[in-house]
Amino acid sequence: MEIMRILLGILFTLVFGGALGMGLAVAFRKFSIEKDKVVGDLENALPGLNCGSCGYAGCSGYAEALAAGTDTDLTKCKPGGQSSLEAMGEILGVAVEASATKMVARPHCLGNNEKALKKYEYAGLQDCRAAMNQFKGFKQCEYGCLGLGSCIKVCPVDAISKTGDGLVKVDADLCISCGNCVDICPTGVMKMIPFDADYYIACNSKDKGKDTKGNCSVGCIGCKICEKKFPEGAFVVQDNLCVINYDEKDRDETRAEAAEKCPVNCIVKI
Amino acid sequence: MSYIGILITYVFISNLILSQFLGLCPFIGVSKDLESASGMGFAVTFVMTIASLVTWMVYHWVLIPLNVEYLQTVTFILTIASLVQLVEMVVQKYSPALYKALGIYLPLITTNCGVLGIALININQGYNLMEGFMAGFSAGLGFMLALILMSSIRVKMQTERVPKAFKGIPIAFISGGLMALAFMAFDKALLTNLIG
C-alpha cells in the first residue's frame, strides 16, 4: 500500500504542476502585451550595460524614449560607440554620422605623494569631493589628482584603480567612455582624450609657472617651449597650461622630440 | 486570536526577518536605499497577502480532500511561483503604473522563502481563511518595516568609517543582528499586556 501512496504523491505533483504550467501558458496568451518591436531591436543594439550615461535609468529606458520619439539624439550612448550608433540608425531609418573616435578617461596629473607638496595632512572622509571642500584639497596644487578615488566608486566597469602613491590610473582597454568619472572629479583632472592618442599632457595646473613649480616638480609651467619650437606638434598653451589638439593626428615624431625638450617632463607617452 | 493580535504578532513579535530569519536575501540585497527598500516591501506585502489566501485554499480544498498534506511544501512552492508569474502578467496588462513601481521586484519574490514561510506558518497555526489573509498581510508589513529600517541604517553607514574587512555585506549582517536583538524585546508578554 505504501507504494501506492508514493505513486499518488508523484502523480499529484505532476498533475498539479502540469495544471499550473498550462494555466500560466493560457494566461500568457490572454494577458501578454505586444512589446514594441522597435524597442526590442533598439535594446539589442545598445550595449546593455545600464551605465546611465545617456541620462535614462538604463538601456531599456533610452530605447523606449528613442522609439517613442521623445528623444531624437542617437549619440547619447557613449559605451556603445560607433557600432551601436550604426545599428540604431538602421532600425530608426536615420542617417548617422560616421565620426566619433573612441574616447577614454585619463587623469592628467603625475603629482604623486613624492612630487606634489601638501598643504596639510588630510584624515577625513576618503572621498575627493569631501577633501576638496577643505581649503580646495590637501595638495598645494588645487588642480591635481587627490587620489582618494571618487572616480573609482562611480566607474561602472572597474577600469580605474589607485596607483598606491596618491594617484589613480585608468585602464584604457576597459574604459567605456561613459564620462561618470569626469563628472564626479572635483578638480577636473580627469579628462577624456582619444583612445588612439600617443601623448598627453600630464598636468592640469592653471597656476602661474612659478607657483606651479613651487607646488609640484612635474607640473606644466606654461613655458611655451613646445608650442613655439614644435608648431607641428599642435600644442596650445592656454591659462598657463599646455593642451594637445588631438584633431591633428600622426604627429608622434614631433611630439616625441617635444617631450624630450619639456623642462618638467609632463608631455608623456601613453 | 483577534486580528489585531495577529497584526502585532507578525509585525513585531514574530517578525519574519528579525526573529524568524526568513527572506534574508532581499533584506541584504535590496536594502541599499530607501526607494528600492520600500518598493520591495510593497511588492512582498502584496505577494504575501495573495499567496496566503491561495495557499490556504490549495491546502484545505485540494490537499486535504486528496489526503496528500505531506506534499504541502512542494505544492506551495509551485503555487507561489506560478502565482507571482500570473500576478506579474495581470499587473503588466491592466496597471502599467503599478507594474513600473513593483515590476522589477516581482520576479525576485517568486522563490522568496519568507513567502513560503508565512504560507506554512498559516497552516501550522491552524488559521482560518481570514486569519491567514491577515497573517500574510502583517508579515508583509513586518518585512517592509525591517527592510526600511535597514535601508536607513545602511544609507547612514555609507559615510561611516567601517573597518575594511567589515565593509558592505558583513557590517550589514552585524547591524541586522543587533536589530534582531532589539526586536527580541517584543515578546508574547507584550501581546498579553496589550490586548489581554
Side-chain angles (χ1 to χ4, degrees):
Chain A
M1 260 358 251
E2 283 304 301
I3 194 80
M4 283 310 288
R5 268 178 75 77
I6 294 171
L7 284 178
L8 180 67
I10 294 172
L11 186 70
F12 174 78
T13 317
L14 277 176
V15 171
F16 190 74
L20 287 175
M22 293 290 279
L24 274 185
V26 172
F28 183 70
R29 281 275 168 78
K30 200 169 172 195
F31 294 117
S32 69
I33 44 171
E34 295 256 321
K35 249 201 170 180
D36 201 340
K37 189 171 173 300
V38 178
V39 177
D41 286 349
L42 283 174
E43 268 181 56
N44 289 336
L46 289 164
L49 289 161
N50 294 323
C51 68
S53 65
C54 53
Y56 293 92
C59 295
S60 60
Y62 186 37
E64 275 170 28
L66 283 176
T70 48
D71 198 327
T72 51
D73 187 1
L74 289 180
T75 59
K76 283 187 180 169
C77 181
K78 291 167 193 163
Q82 193 61 28
S83 58
S84 88
L85 191 64
E86 277 166 14
M88 288 194 295
E90 204 167 292
I91 294 162
L92 293 171
V94 184
V96 290
E97 287 171 40
S99 63
T101 45
K102 187 191 171 187
M103 302 291 274
V104 292
R106 185 167 287 276
H108 286 54
C109 182
L110 287 179
N112 59 19
N113 289 339
E114 288 165 19
K115 290 170 182 160
L117 299 179
K118 286 185 178 177
K119 276 182 212 153
Y120 59 92
E121 279 301 324
Y122 180 74
L125 198 61
Q126 293 295 301
D127 186 290
C128 303
R129 289 165 298 170
M132 196 63 183
N133 279 338
Q134 311 201 356
F135 310 106
K136 294 207 167 178
F138 49 81
K139 282 184 173 171
Q140 288 200 3
C141 169
E142 65 189 59
Y143 303 97
C145 176
L146 295 170
L148 298 177
S150 291
C151 46
I152 298 173
K153 288 180 202 149
V154 296
C155 181
V157 291
D158 293 333
I160 313 176
S161 55
K162 291 187 183 181
T163 57
D165 55 0
L167 295 174
V168 296
K169 62 173 188 285
V170 177
D171 186 335
D173 291 325
L174 292 178
C175 179
I176 56 168
S177 47
C178 69
N180 287 354
C181 50
V182 177
D183 293 338
I184 204 162
C185 180
T187 63
V189 72
M190 189 67 90
K191 290 188 260 190
M192 306 298 285
I193 62 171
F195 180 69
D196 54 8
D198 279 330
Y199 286 89
Y200 77 108
I201 307 297
C203 183
N204 187 40
S205 168
K206 297 183 180 67
D207 285 335
K208 281 184 182 145
K210 188 165 172 278
D211 298 336
T212 303
K213 194 142 189 140
N215 292 340
C216 175
S217 62
V218 285
C220 174
I221 50 176
C223 64
K224 299 199 179 183
I225 290 178
C226 49
E227 189 186 51
K228 284 177 182 158
K229 288 198 174 165
F230 303 95
E232 279 291 296
F235 298 100
V236 186
V237 177
Q238 292 167 333
D239 300 336
N240 305 309
L241 176 64
C242 177
V243 287
I244 294 180
N245 181 1
Y246 291 108
D247 291 339
E248 306 290 335
K249 292 195 168 86
D250 304 322
R251 307 288 168 90
D252 307 345
E253 281 177 32
T254 339
R255 283 176 187 161
E257 283 172 41
E260 267 173 43
K261 286 280 154 48
C262 177
V264 286
N265 297 323
C266 70
I267 301 173
V268 178
K269 189 168 171 56
I270 295 169
Chain B
M1 195 192 284
S2 71
Y3 294 120
I4 295 178
I6 292 181
L7 182 78
I8 295 173
T9 304
Y10 288 105
V11 174
F12 296 110
I13 300 167
S14 323
N15 186 299
L16 271 194
I17 291 178
L18 295 172
S19 66
Q20 315 209 32
F21 304 109
L22 292 171
L24 289 179
C25 334
F27 181 59
I28 299 299
V30 204
S31 62
K32 286 204 183 84
D33 55 80
L34 187 62
E35 195 186 338
S36 53
S38 49
M40 183 73 182
F42 278 115
V44 167
T45 311
F46 186 61
V47 169
M48 274 186 182
T49 315
I50 301 179
S52 297
L53 280 179
V54 174
T55 50
W56 191 92
M57 292 184 218
V58 167
Y59 185 78
H60 286 270
W61 298 345
V62 180
L63 296 187
I64 289 186
L66 289 174
N67 206 14
V68 283
E69 293 97 324
Y70 64 94
L71 285 174
Q72 58 173 338
T73 310
V74 181
T75 37
F76 283 7
I77 291 174
L78 280 172
T79 314
I80 293 167
S82 6
L83 179 73
V84 175
Q85 298 279 318
L86 183 68
V87 166
E88 196 186 350
M89 279 190 257
V90 174
V91 170
Q92 193 174 13
K93 173 99 173 171
Y94 293 110
S95 171
L98 191 62
Y99 183 76
K100 271 245 157 73
L102 301 185
I104 51 167
Y105 304 108
L106 282 176
L108 297 175
I109 313 170
T110 32
T111 50
N112 185 316
C113 57
V115 183
L116 178 66
I118 195 67
L120 293 173
I121 287 170
N122 283 341
I123 303 303
N124 287 348
Q125 296 283 335
Y127 289 150
N128 64 27
L129 186 59
M130 274 319 285
E131 283 170 343
F133 172 81
M134 194 63 200
F137 178 67
S138 325
L141 284 186
F143 188 93
M144 181 154 69
L145 175 75
L147 219 60
I148 286 177
L149 288 177
M150 190 61 183
S151 72
S152 343
I153 292 179
R154 286 186 76 175
V155 167
K156 284 225 162 69
M157 209 138 60
Q158 274 177 0
T159 50
E160 292 295 327
R161 296 176 70 182
V162 177
K164 202 169 185 183
F166 289 119
K167 270 209 173 113
I169 308 288
I171 195 73
F173 266 112
I174 292 174
S175 338
L178 291 173
M179 267 165 72
L181 212 57
F183 263 68
M184 291 291 160
F186 301 111
D187 61 2
K188 283 273 188 292
L190 171 87
L191 193 61
T192 28
N193 285 339
L194 273 179
I195 51 174

